[in-house]
Amino acid sequence: APGDYYIDAVPMSLAEALGRAGGLLEAADLNRIELQRQGKTLHLNLHELYKLGLRPEGIRLRNGDVLNFQTQPSLAGSIGAKP
């Protein structure tokens, strides 16, 4: 579920953060995840990370990190639509 989830003193992985949040919404785009860390935005693509052998369990979050999951683009209304 959307919202703020705080990382305590114990390091938390990306997978653990997803679990605490109740999992991903159906509309979440796993190719467009933003990790904001120390004023920088890192763009993550879970499918590409898996291809490289990296799993969400191995991605450690730090105090102050912010995750943003983008939604998949919707095609509703765009096919055959006339102005």
Side-chain angles (χ1 to χ4, degrees):
D4 295 335
Y5 298 89
Y6 297 95
I7 300 170
D8 48 26
V10 178
M12 184 187 310
S13 71
L14 175 57
E16 291 168 319
L18 291 173
R20 279 195 190 183
L24 293 170
L25 297 175
E26 187 176 325
D29 187 345
L30 300 180
N31 298 321
R32 299 186 317 142
I33 301 170
E34 293 179 353
L35 170 60
Q36 296 174 6
R37 176 177 285 170
Q38 297 178 337
K40 296 180 183 176
T41 300
L42 305 170
H43 299 277
L44 304 176
N45 178 326
L46 282 189
H47 297 292
E48 292 298 321
L49 292 174
Y50 272 112
K51 287 181 187 177
L52 296 171
L54 299 171
R55 301 179 55 86
E57 296 84 2
I59 299 172
R60 294 286 172 203
L61 301 177
R62 300 179 189 163
N63 188 20
D65 283 357
V66 176
L67 286 170
N68 290 305
F69 291 85
Q70 306 300 314
T71 56
Q72 297 178 21
S74 174
L75 295 177
S78 63
I79 299 174
K82 295 183 179 182

